[in-house]
Amino acid sequence: MPTPIENIRNFSIVAHIDHGKSTLADRLIQLTGAMDAREMAGKEQVLDNMDIERERGITIKAQTVRLNYKAKNGQNYVLNLIDTPGHVDFAYEVNRSLAACEGSLLVVDASQGVEAQTLANVYQAIDNNHEIVPVLNKIDLPAAEPEKVKAQIEEVIGIDASGAIGISAKTGEGVPDVLEAIVEKLPAPKGDRNAPLKALLVDSWYDAYLGVVVLVRIIDGTMRKNQRIRMMGAHAAYDLDRVGVINPKKTEVDELGPGEIGFFTASIKEVADTRVGDTITDDRKPVDTPLAGFRPAQPVVFCGLFPVDAADFEALRAAMSKLRLNDASFSFEMETSAALGFGFRCGFLGLLHLEIIQERLSREFDLELIATAPSVIYEIRQTDGTVMELHNPVDMPDVVKIAEIYEPWIRATILTPDEYLGSVIKLCQDRRGNQKNLSYVGARAMVEYELPLNEVVFDFYDRLKSISKGYASFDYKMDDRRPGDLVRLSILVNNEPVDALAMLVHRTRAESRGRAMCEKLKELIPPHMFQVPIQAAIGGKVIARETVRALRKDVTAKCYGGDATRKRKLLEKQKEGKKKMRQYGKVDIPQEAFIAALKVDG
């Protein structure tokens, strides 16, 4: 017996990182009896199923679960919960999850108040016409100030917070009220059971036994086993092997009706064949117009990944292909480097995404990797009128052929306690930022800045956290591309360019960045039998230089007595040898030197 559509509630939980989304999801699962105490024993954050998610205490992948709830009015409801990530790098996961729901729980930490990503995620929910229920978490903490935070929500976000529910997701206090609020305040989905099938593809992941598992939200019509479906964006048709719901185990059902969220498998081999946001319809009775899908995830940061041991290249290729099965936003293509050999140029959604992919490659596949300096996509307009996208500074065309270089800019929102405001503004100014707005949220300042993305990907987030003692929160969204006075900074070791250390920087910062890089490399490159010059250059002009002194053997040690010319002769002979050595000698740059040099802050 299918659940009547008026008894279905689809909702997501949105919040800043670490405000308690996944813990609240655990309590809801427990209260509705979807998992018993034995299954949940010793398992925090049931929906965070990657080790890395548990360790870092963050959600990377949006997870879905179906809960059955008997409300106080005696009726049975089906609640479809999507737990979303809070970090800015995974904003597209939030985006697609919100498209499948009608309402959101806005979770705010009662001791910390509204943070930068609380704003970003709640505005996305408002854009999707969601009904929003504010929830104040961590009210059991001594530092909690619920009344103050309610006022903050009203002032900053502009939604009524007088009925905000105070809870402690850790102890379970107040959580039953959240379930009642979901039933009473959130709207039921709309849909026509007798119309042709129309469903939104929300997510897909790879299962070793079932192939690709596809998560869908049914808008109209019904989906049954053995039905032939068509994906309108991918222009592919499949026969459904199984249809089911996740509660939290996969449970097969006869059919999915309008308003329901469930999964299907259809012997699909590649996750790349299932585009998130695609419209799924019946192959025999298709709908006329597809749903307005959402923008695919665009890589923002690029970096080269090379195996430390060249023999691991094929293993790295296989590992990346496996990761790509479950993460369509991660892209890679092969590249070669004179210094590092064969590797891959990879695209990521941000620095956290890069870090997580790197960590998963080393953990899950036991690979040792070297990563080059992260760079962004530049648009180069050439004098002959052609436009090219530049992912790797090494591929930059000759300066004579370049008319203009356009770089991506972002719009950043930073929330910081008042005493760190001066340092935050100085950091943004140093990174070529333009201040757009400054307002106060209670005792905290909210600054809006326009910043070039290549200044942010390097180490902006780390610097921001250190100058604000960890209190500042940061969120950004892509703005546009603007022309910039950018130059390619090349690093030469013993007159040989090291392509892995090449980078595009603003002309005003090139000298300081080049000098810092040379000084760092001087400390890191071990002395050789000959003198090793380290230079930073823009085109043919050297702007900074350091020298690693040569190791010297005392050739005059055996020379005792006799004429001084004997000593001179030996020293001249040594000098000639050093000269020859330097001409043919090869400088070994240790792997640690690459990693440390890339972390330098000019």
Side-chain angles (χ1 to χ4, degrees), residues 369-403:
L369 301 173
I370 297 175
T372 63
S375 68
V376 298
I377 307 175
Y378 300 95
E379 194 177 273
I380 295 187
R381 300 193 179 177
Q382 302 190 39
T383 43
D384 61 359
T386 55
V387 175
M388 70 172 277
E389 282 200 339
L390 180 75
H391 295 183
N392 191 344
V394 176
D395 305 331
M396 185 168 160
D398 197 347
V399 187
V400 188
K401 295 180 182 169
I402 299 172

Side-chain angles (χ1 to χ4, degrees), residues 416-525:
T416 174
D418 197 24
E419 63 262 37
Y420 308 118
L421 180 61
S423 312
V424 169
I425 287 177
K426 185 179 182 308
L427 174 69
C428 294
Q429 301 291 40
D430 290 348
R431 300 298 168 101
R432 301 190 282 130
N434 304 326
Q435 189 176 323
K436 283 290 158 200
N437 204 345
L438 171 60
S439 57
Y440 275 82
V441 181
R444 288 185 309 164
M446 185 164 100
V447 228
E448 279 185 33
Y449 259 93
E450 288 178 344
L451 288 156
L453 184 63
N454 74 342
E455 298 283 355
V456 174
V457 297
F458 216 62
D459 59 352
F460 181 83
Y461 193 63
D462 295 348
R463 302 274 313 127
L464 179 71
K465 285 289 179 197
S466 63
I467 61 176
S468 67
K469 302 202 169 116
Y471 283 110
S473 64
F474 168 69
D475 178 69
Y476 69 84
K477 62 172 184 283
M478 299 306 294
D479 199 8
D480 56 4
R481 286 187 172 172
R482 301 179 193 178
D485 185 8
L486 300 165
V487 290
R488 184 175 74 189
L489 181 68
S490 309
I491 302 292
L492 297 103
V493 175
N494 200 22
N495 301 323
E496 290 284 323
V498 182
D499 50 2
L501 296 176
M503 62 178 89
L504 246 67
V505 291
H506 197 264
R507 195 179 292 276
T508 54
R509 302 203 55 194
E511 196 175 323
S512 61
R513 185 63 69 79
R515 183 157 287 133
M517 199 67 122
C518 290
E519 284 168 7
K520 194 86 174 175
L521 283 170
K522 184 186 177 183
E523 293 165 22
L524 297 162
I525 292 176

Side-chain angles (χ1 to χ4, degrees), residues 224-230 237-242 264-268 283-284:
R224 293 184 187 83
K225 197 174 169 179
N226 302 326
Q227 183 177 3
R228 189 163 180 78
I229 54 142
R230 168 167 294 280
Y238 299 98
D239 289 315
L240 298 183
D241 298 336
R242 50 173 71 70
F264 71 78
T265 60
S267 309
I268 304 170
D283 192 40
R284 294 177 186 81

